[in-house]
Amino acid sequence: MKESFVSIADCSKEDILHLIKQATLFEKNPNQPVLEGKVCATLFFEPSTRTRLSFETAVNRLGGRVIGFSDASTTSSSKGETLKDTIKMVSNYADVIIMRHYLEGAARYASEITDIPIINAGDGANQHPSQTMLDLYSIYKTQGRLDNLIITMVGDLKYGRTVHSLLNGMSHFNPTFHFVAPEELRLPDIYKQFLDEKKIAYFEHTDFSPEVINQSDILYMTRVQRERFTDLMEYEKVKNSYILTNEMLDNSKPNLRVLHPLPRVNEIAYDVDDNPKAYYFEQAKNGLYARQAIICNVLGINKKIKI
Ligand code: CP
């Protein structure tokens, strides 16, 4: 029976720690033929570089095969075929579907109309759970732990699905959050209610101040999500709200690492790239191992993995 990976909220602390352990094994040995004979479909209704290519690399390095599309305008959805029919059709061909869609809830919906596992590669402004797994793996690798960390999230906290997923995933590990956003892009109330219920400390700021940066263990920068704005004038007003420069890290903690789900537009200056505290490119690389773990997990083939 299938087990989909739709929301990080469906994962227990034990599930998360298990996937991190599996990702560690895949990092040691990413090439092993545990997906031989399996076909994985990548259906991307929204643009992607890292998520699609790292999922496809994950399948290729594990000996599986990939079908799919990166541009829905070349598929029959452009003729009016519904998402339901598309999922039903692809389920005839593949063992697992990895999908990104612009509608919130699309992956959950897909998981309810097929018997093969669905992996959510991002649904609108809602969730990006595989990104969260690579973020958690990156935090674990750089900090040596997940517990009791101070995590500052900066930028588009309203539309940023990676932010919404990550705060959920981190909620098992007693974090303290600082949320830095312009008024227009503040974290939606539903996520603050979630943190209140879990008794997780958080502080909201509009100022990206040295005090906040210098107490952080993780600085999670995000892009303002242009594609989610209905009024582009509103986007223009907030697009350059925060730009991290190298000197802003001068008095930060030695263990601080700068993460960003990428793509970056201009919220991190290029001179930060050479700072040893910049970790976003390694973070993206970690996506390969985290996604290998997720694919194997939904297909129930964890036992075959070798170190
Ligand atoms: N982080 C992320 O989802 O990147 P892509 O949009 O390039 O997949």
Side-chain angles (χ1 to χ4, degrees), residues 44 47-52 100 121 128 131 161-162 223 261-263 291:
F44 276 67
S48 168
T49 297
R50 278 146 293 274
T51 309
R52 186 175 66 83
R100 171 172 288 187
H128 195 346
Q131 176 72 44
R161 58 192 173 198
T162 67
R223 171 180 71 92
L262 304 177
R291 288 176 172 129

PDB file of all heavy atoms in Angstrom, residues 44 47-52 100 121 128 131 161-162 223 261-263 291, ligand 1:
ATOM      1  N   PHE A  44       5.817  18.625 -13.220  1.00  0.00           N
ATOM      2  CA  PHE A  44       6.076  19.980 -12.715  1.00  0.00           C
ATOM      3  C   PHE A  44       5.193  20.977 -13.456  1.00  0.00           C
ATOM      4  O   PHE A  44       5.449  21.311 -14.609  1.00  0.00           O
ATOM      5  CB  PHE A  44       7.570  20.321 -12.798  1.00  0.00           C
ATOM      6  CG  PHE A  44       8.326  19.793 -11.606  1.00  0.00           C
ATOM      7  CD1 PHE A  44       8.463  18.427 -11.405  1.00  0.00           C
ATOM      8  CD2 PHE A  44       8.849  20.643 -10.650  1.00  0.00           C
ATOM      9  CE1 PHE A  44       9.114  17.925 -10.272  1.00  0.00           C
ATOM     10  CE2 PHE A  44       9.506  20.165  -9.527  1.00  0.00           C
ATOM     11  CZ  PHE A  44       9.647  18.801  -9.335  1.00  0.00           C
ATOM     12  N   PRO A  47       7.642  26.192 -12.568  1.00  0.00           N
ATOM     13  CA  PRO A  47       9.081  26.095 -12.855  1.00  0.00           C
ATOM     14  C   PRO A  47       9.893  25.580 -11.661  1.00  0.00           C
ATOM     15  O   PRO A  47       9.504  25.751 -10.504  1.00  0.00           O
ATOM     16  CB  PRO A  47       9.484  27.542 -13.167  1.00  0.00           C
ATOM     17  CG  PRO A  47       8.217  28.236 -13.506  1.00  0.00           C
ATOM     18  CD  PRO A  47       7.132  27.563 -12.712  1.00  0.00           C
ATOM     19  N   SER A  48      11.013  24.968 -11.971  1.00  0.00           N
ATOM     20  CA  SER A  48      11.929  24.467 -10.943  1.00  0.00           C
ATOM     21  C   SER A  48      13.287  24.219 -11.572  1.00  0.00           C
ATOM     22  O   SER A  48      13.367  23.810 -12.731  1.00  0.00           O
ATOM     23  CB  SER A  48      11.389  23.150 -10.373  1.00  0.00           C
ATOM     24  OG  SER A  48      12.371  22.499  -9.583  1.00  0.00           O
ATOM     25  N   THR A  49      14.335  24.452 -10.808  1.00  0.00           N
ATOM     26  CA  THR A  49      15.675  23.988 -11.197  1.00  0.00           C
ATOM     27  C   THR A  49      16.109  22.879 -10.243  1.00  0.00           C
ATOM     28  O   THR A  49      16.254  21.715 -10.618  1.00  0.00           O
ATOM     29  CB  THR A  49      16.681  25.148 -11.175  1.00  0.00           C
ATOM     30  OG1 THR A  49      16.276  26.113 -12.145  1.00  0.00           O
ATOM     31  CG2 THR A  49      18.087  24.668 -11.515  1.00  0.00           C
ATOM     32  N   ARG A  50      16.297  23.251  -8.968  1.00  0.00           N
ATOM     33  CA  ARG A  50      16.860  22.323  -7.991  1.00  0.00           C
ATOM     34  C   ARG A  50      15.974  21.126  -7.682  1.00  0.00           C
ATOM     35  O   ARG A  50      16.454  19.985  -7.636  1.00  0.00           O
ATOM     36  CB  ARG A  50      17.104  23.037  -6.640  1.00  0.00           C
ATOM     37  CG  ARG A  50      18.355  23.817  -6.553  1.00  0.00           C
ATOM     38  CD  ARG A  50      18.115  25.030  -5.680  1.00  0.00           C
ATOM     39  NE  ARG A  50      17.188  25.895  -6.370  1.00  0.00           N
ATOM     40  CZ  ARG A  50      17.582  26.802  -7.256  1.00  0.00           C
ATOM     41  NH1 ARG A  50      18.849  26.998  -7.474  1.00  0.00           N
ATOM     42  NH2 ARG A  50      16.699  27.545  -7.903  1.00  0.00           N
ATOM     43  N   THR A  51      14.707  21.403  -7.417  1.00  0.00           N
ATOM     44  CA  THR A  51      13.861  20.312  -6.912  1.00  0.00           C
ATOM     45  C   THR A  51      13.710  19.222  -7.970  1.00  0.00           C
ATOM     46  O   THR A  51      13.915  18.037  -7.697  1.00  0.00           O
ATOM     47  CB  THR A  51      12.481  20.867  -6.505  1.00  0.00           C
ATOM     48  OG1 THR A  51      12.685  21.975  -5.640  1.00  0.00           O
ATOM     49  CG2 THR A  51      11.646  19.813  -5.808  1.00  0.00           C
ATOM     50  N   ARG A  52      13.383  19.629  -9.181  1.00  0.00           N
ATOM     51  CA  ARG A  52      13.190  18.614 -10.228  1.00  0.00           C
ATOM     52  C   ARG A  52      14.504  17.908 -10.543  1.00  0.00           C
ATOM     53  O   ARG A  52      14.555  16.671 -10.602  1.00  0.00           O
ATOM     54  CB  ARG A  52      12.605  19.240 -11.499  1.00  0.00           C
ATOM     55  CG  ARG A  52      12.267  18.190 -12.554  1.00  0.00           C
ATOM     56  CD  ARG A  52      11.579  18.805 -13.752  1.00  0.00           C
ATOM     57  NE  ARG A  52      12.422  19.697 -14.501  1.00  0.00           N
ATOM     58  CZ  ARG A  52      13.312  19.313 -15.434  1.00  0.00           C
ATOM     59  NH1 ARG A  52      13.468  18.035 -15.714  1.00  0.00           N
ATOM     60  NH2 ARG A  52      14.042  20.210 -16.065  1.00  0.00           N
ATOM     61  N   ARG A 100       4.893  19.088  -8.565  1.00  0.00           N
ATOM     62  CA  ARG A 100       4.825  20.484  -8.114  1.00  0.00           C
ATOM     63  C   ARG A 100       3.636  21.116  -8.818  1.00  0.00           C
ATOM     64  O   ARG A 100       3.455  20.964 -10.032  1.00  0.00           O
ATOM     65  CB  ARG A 100       6.100  21.241  -8.458  1.00  0.00           C
ATOM     66  CG  ARG A 100       5.978  22.747  -8.212  1.00  0.00           C
ATOM     67  CD  ARG A 100       7.288  23.467  -8.356  1.00  0.00           C
ATOM     68  NE  ARG A 100       8.185  23.173  -7.241  1.00  0.00           N
ATOM     69  CZ  ARG A 100       9.354  23.779  -7.044  1.00  0.00           C
ATOM     70  NH1 ARG A 100       9.771  24.710  -7.901  1.00  0.00           N
ATOM     71  NH2 ARG A 100      10.117  23.477  -6.010  1.00  0.00           N
ATOM     72  N   ALA A 121       6.327  18.199  -4.323  1.00  0.00           N
ATOM     73  CA  ALA A 121       7.529  19.007  -4.631  1.00  0.00           C
ATOM     74  C   ALA A 121       7.194  20.492  -4.573  1.00  0.00           C
ATOM     75  O   ALA A 121       7.906  21.311  -5.168  1.00  0.00           O
ATOM     76  CB  ALA A 121       8.071  18.610  -5.993  1.00  0.00           C
ATOM     77  N   HIS A 128       6.428  22.658   1.143  1.00  0.00           N
ATOM     78  CA  HIS A 128       7.505  22.163   0.291  1.00  0.00           C
ATOM     79  C   HIS A 128       8.296  21.176   1.160  1.00  0.00           C
ATOM     80  O   HIS A 128       9.417  21.444   1.586  1.00  0.00           O
ATOM     81  CB  HIS A 128       8.382  23.337  -0.157  1.00  0.00           C
ATOM     82  CG  HIS A 128       9.305  23.035  -1.293  1.00  0.00           C
ATOM     83  ND1 HIS A 128       9.587  21.762  -1.733  1.00  0.00           N
ATOM     84  CD2 HIS A 128      10.051  23.875  -2.079  1.00  0.00           C
ATOM     85  CE1 HIS A 128      10.443  21.828  -2.736  1.00  0.00           C
ATOM     86  NE2 HIS A 128      10.733  23.098  -2.968  1.00  0.00           N
ATOM     87  N   GLN A 131      11.942  20.062   0.531  1.00  0.00           N
ATOM     88  CA  GLN A 131      12.872  21.151   0.848  1.00  0.00           C
ATOM     89  C   GLN A 131      13.130  21.163   2.357  1.00  0.00           C
ATOM     90  O   GLN A 131      14.268  21.344   2.808  1.00  0.00           O
ATOM     91  CB  GLN A 131      12.285  22.490   0.397  1.00  0.00           C
ATOM     92  CG  GLN A 131      13.129  23.700   0.763  1.00  0.00           C
ATOM     93  CD  GLN A 131      14.401  23.818  -0.066  1.00  0.00           C
ATOM     94  OE1 GLN A 131      14.360  23.635  -1.269  1.00  0.00           O
ATOM     95  NE2 GLN A 131      15.524  24.135   0.571  1.00  0.00           N
ATOM     96  N   ARG A 161       6.606  29.006   0.929  1.00  0.00           N
ATOM     97  CA  ARG A 161       6.180  27.671   1.381  1.00  0.00           C
ATOM     98  C   ARG A 161       7.308  26.954   2.118  1.00  0.00           C
ATOM     99  O   ARG A 161       7.049  26.108   2.971  1.00  0.00           O
ATOM    100  CB  ARG A 161       5.669  26.837   0.211  1.00  0.00           C
ATOM    101  CG  ARG A 161       6.657  26.642  -0.922  1.00  0.00           C
ATOM    102  CD  ARG A 161       5.962  26.068  -2.151  1.00  0.00           C
ATOM    103  NE  ARG A 161       6.840  26.019  -3.308  1.00  0.00           N
ATOM    104  CZ  ARG A 161       6.419  25.898  -4.560  1.00  0.00           C
ATOM    105  NH1 ARG A 161       5.133  25.833  -4.818  1.00  0.00           N
ATOM    106  NH2 ARG A 161       7.258  25.834  -5.560  1.00  0.00           N
ATOM    107  N   THR A 162       8.559  27.289   1.809  1.00  0.00           N
ATOM    108  CA  THR A 162       9.661  26.620   2.518  1.00  0.00           C
ATOM    109  C   THR A 162       9.681  27.049   3.984  1.00  0.00           C
ATOM    110  O   THR A 162      10.026  26.266   4.861  1.00  0.00           O
ATOM    111  CB  THR A 162      11.022  26.929   1.863  1.00  0.00           C
ATOM    112  OG1 THR A 162      11.335  28.308   2.028  1.00  0.00           O
ATOM    113  CG2 THR A 162      11.020  26.585   0.379  1.00  0.00           C
ATOM    114  N   ARG A 223      13.477  34.495  -0.826  1.00  0.00           N
ATOM    115  CA  ARG A 223      13.134  35.363  -1.957  1.00  0.00           C
ATOM    116  C   ARG A 223      11.689  35.856  -1.808  1.00  0.00           C
ATOM    117  O   ARG A 223      10.817  35.093  -1.363  1.00  0.00           O
ATOM    118  CB  ARG A 223      13.262  34.511  -3.228  1.00  0.00           C
ATOM    119  CG  ARG A 223      12.769  35.086  -4.499  1.00  0.00           C
ATOM    120  CD  ARG A 223      12.990  34.086  -5.639  1.00  0.00           C
ATOM    121  NE  ARG A 223      12.116  32.933  -5.560  1.00  0.00           N
ATOM    122  CZ  ARG A 223      10.924  32.826  -6.148  1.00  0.00           C
ATOM    123  NH1 ARG A 223      10.453  33.825  -6.876  1.00  0.00           N
ATOM    124  NH2 ARG A 223      10.191  31.736  -6.026  1.00  0.00           N
ATOM    125  N   PRO A 261      16.623  28.655   0.411  1.00  0.00           N
ATOM    126  CA  PRO A 261      16.155  27.534  -0.423  1.00  0.00           C
ATOM    127  C   PRO A 261      16.547  27.708  -1.889  1.00  0.00           C
ATOM    128  O   PRO A 261      16.565  26.739  -2.636  1.00  0.00           O
ATOM    129  CB  PRO A 261      14.639  27.557  -0.234  1.00  0.00           C
ATOM    130  CG  PRO A 261      14.311  28.942   0.224  1.00  0.00           C
ATOM    131  CD  PRO A 261      15.506  29.418   0.992  1.00  0.00           C
ATOM    132  N   LEU A 262      16.838  28.933  -2.277  1.00  0.00           N
ATOM    133  CA  LEU A 262      17.158  29.295  -3.657  1.00  0.00           C
ATOM    134  C   LEU A 262      15.929  29.050  -4.564  1.00  0.00           C
ATOM    135  O   LEU A 262      15.122  28.204  -4.233  1.00  0.00           O
ATOM    136  CB  LEU A 262      18.389  28.561  -4.175  1.00  0.00           C
ATOM    137  CG  LEU A 262      19.672  28.734  -3.328  1.00  0.00           C
ATOM    138  CD1 LEU A 262      20.804  27.890  -3.915  1.00  0.00           C
ATOM    139  CD2 LEU A 262      20.090  30.201  -3.247  1.00  0.00           C
ATOM    140  N   PRO A 263      15.740  29.723  -5.662  1.00  0.00           N
ATOM    141  CA  PRO A 263      16.679  30.667  -6.240  1.00  0.00           C
ATOM    142  C   PRO A 263      16.761  31.979  -5.458  1.00  0.00           C
ATOM    143  O   PRO A 263      15.783  32.435  -4.878  1.00  0.00           O
ATOM    144  CB  PRO A 263      16.092  30.918  -7.636  1.00  0.00           C
ATOM    145  CG  PRO A 263      14.613  30.712  -7.467  1.00  0.00           C
ATOM    146  CD  PRO A 263      14.487  29.617  -6.465  1.00  0.00           C
ATOM    147  N   ARG A 291      16.410  13.659  -0.862  1.00  0.00           N
ATOM    148  CA  ARG A 291      15.359  13.173  -1.788  1.00  0.00           C
ATOM    149  C   ARG A 291      15.532  11.698  -2.112  1.00  0.00           C
ATOM    150  O   ARG A 291      14.542  10.990  -2.324  1.00  0.00           O
ATOM    151  CB  ARG A 291      15.335  14.079  -3.027  1.00  0.00           C
ATOM    152  CG  ARG A 291      14.751  15.431  -2.639  1.00  0.00           C
ATOM    153  CD  ARG A 291      14.735  16.477  -3.700  1.00  0.00           C
ATOM    154  NE  ARG A 291      13.973  17.624  -3.205  1.00  0.00           N
ATOM    155  CZ  ARG A 291      14.403  18.883  -3.222  1.00  0.00           C
ATOM    156  NH1 ARG A 291      15.566  19.198  -3.748  1.00  0.00           N
ATOM    157  NH2 ARG A 291      13.637  19.848  -2.733  1.00  0.00           N
TER     158      ARG A 291
HETATM  159  N1   CP B   1      14.248  25.510  -3.650  1.00  0.00           N
HETATM  160  C1   CP B   1      13.526  25.206  -4.749  1.00  0.00           C
HETATM  161  O1   CP B   1      12.400  24.714  -4.671  1.00  0.00           O
HETATM  162  O2   CP B   1      14.152  25.498  -5.928  1.00  0.00           O
HETATM  163  P1   CP B   1      13.522  25.265  -7.350  1.00  0.00           P
HETATM  164  O3   CP B   1      12.302  26.153  -7.470  1.00  0.00           O
HETATM  165  O4   CP B   1      14.598  25.639  -8.327  1.00  0.00           O
HETATM  166  O5   CP B   1      13.121  23.831  -7.450  1.00  0.00           O
END
